[in-house]
């Protein structure tokens, strides 16, 4: 894969994922009482609702800022790993309901690989 194609794919992923996480984080903060209630029903502390909502919002912004892309991707990967684990273990419907979280997790991992310094040298 050429460097320009890899860069184009990475930018497309960054913009799409950035918009997705901006939307998701904004919605969690907009309905913060509902988000806190949802986290509570899963047995999670209410403070984690603030961390996840803020992390998604800031991560979405970070994906659109070139110097912050890898940091934002890493943080969002951690959030999405948690989301997938919650879908598998506690949320009714299991992993079938968590397909969007799993897809985001895989796309974030792909983006991190595309933006890693060693991937450019290896190809």
């Amino acid at each position: 894969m050429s460097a320009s194609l890899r860069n184009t794919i990475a930018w497309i992923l960054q913009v799409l994922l950035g918009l997705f996480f901006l939307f998701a984080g904004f919605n969690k903060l907009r309905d913060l009482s509902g988000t806190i209630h949802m986290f509570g029903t899963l047995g999670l502390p209410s403070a984690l609702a603030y961390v996840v909502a803020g992390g998604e919002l800031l991560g979405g912004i970070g994906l659109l800022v070139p110097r912050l892309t890898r940091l934002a991707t890493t943080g969002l990967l951690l959030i999405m790993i948690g989301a997938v684990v919650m879908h598998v273990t506690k949320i009714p419907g299991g992993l079938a309901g968590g397909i969007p979280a799993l897809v985001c997790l895989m796309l974030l991992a792909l983006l991190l690989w595309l933006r890693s310094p060693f991937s450019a040298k290896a190809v």
Side-chain angles (χ1 to χ4, degrees):
M1 178 183 317
S2 71
S4 64
L5 178 60
R6 188 173 52 250
N7 189 47
T8 302
I9 293 169
W11 268 112
I12 291 169
L13 281 175
Q14 280 175 240
V15 170
L16 291 176
L17 288 169
L19 293 174
F20 173 80
F21 282 107
L22 281 169
F23 180 74
F26 177 76
N27 278 340
K28 283 182 178 71
L29 288 172
R30 186 176 49 85
D31 183 25
L32 196 54
S33 62
T35 304
I36 291 171
H37 177 23
M38 179 190 64
F39 275 64
T41 59
L42 297 173
L44 300 171
S46 60
L48 191 59
Y50 292 94
V51 172
V52 170
E56 287 182 353
L57 189 63
L58 292 174
I61 293 168
L63 286 175
L64 302 176
V65 178
R67 289 182 181 249
L68 300 176
T69 300
R70 289 188 6 227
L71 177 64
T73 303
T74 303
L76 289 169
L77 270 170
L78 294 173
I79 290 173
M80 296 316 295
I81 288 169
V84 169
V85 168
M86 286 292 106
H87 276 282
V88 169
T89 61
K90 295 190 177 206
I91 296 176
L95 189 57
I99 295 295
L102 190 58
V103 169
C104 282
L105 178 67
M106 292 186 301
L107 290 175
L108 285 166
L110 174 62
L111 178 59
L112 189 61
W113 177 76
L114 288 170
R115 288 297 187 204
S116 64
F118 62 88
S119 69
K121 296 174 189 171
V123 176

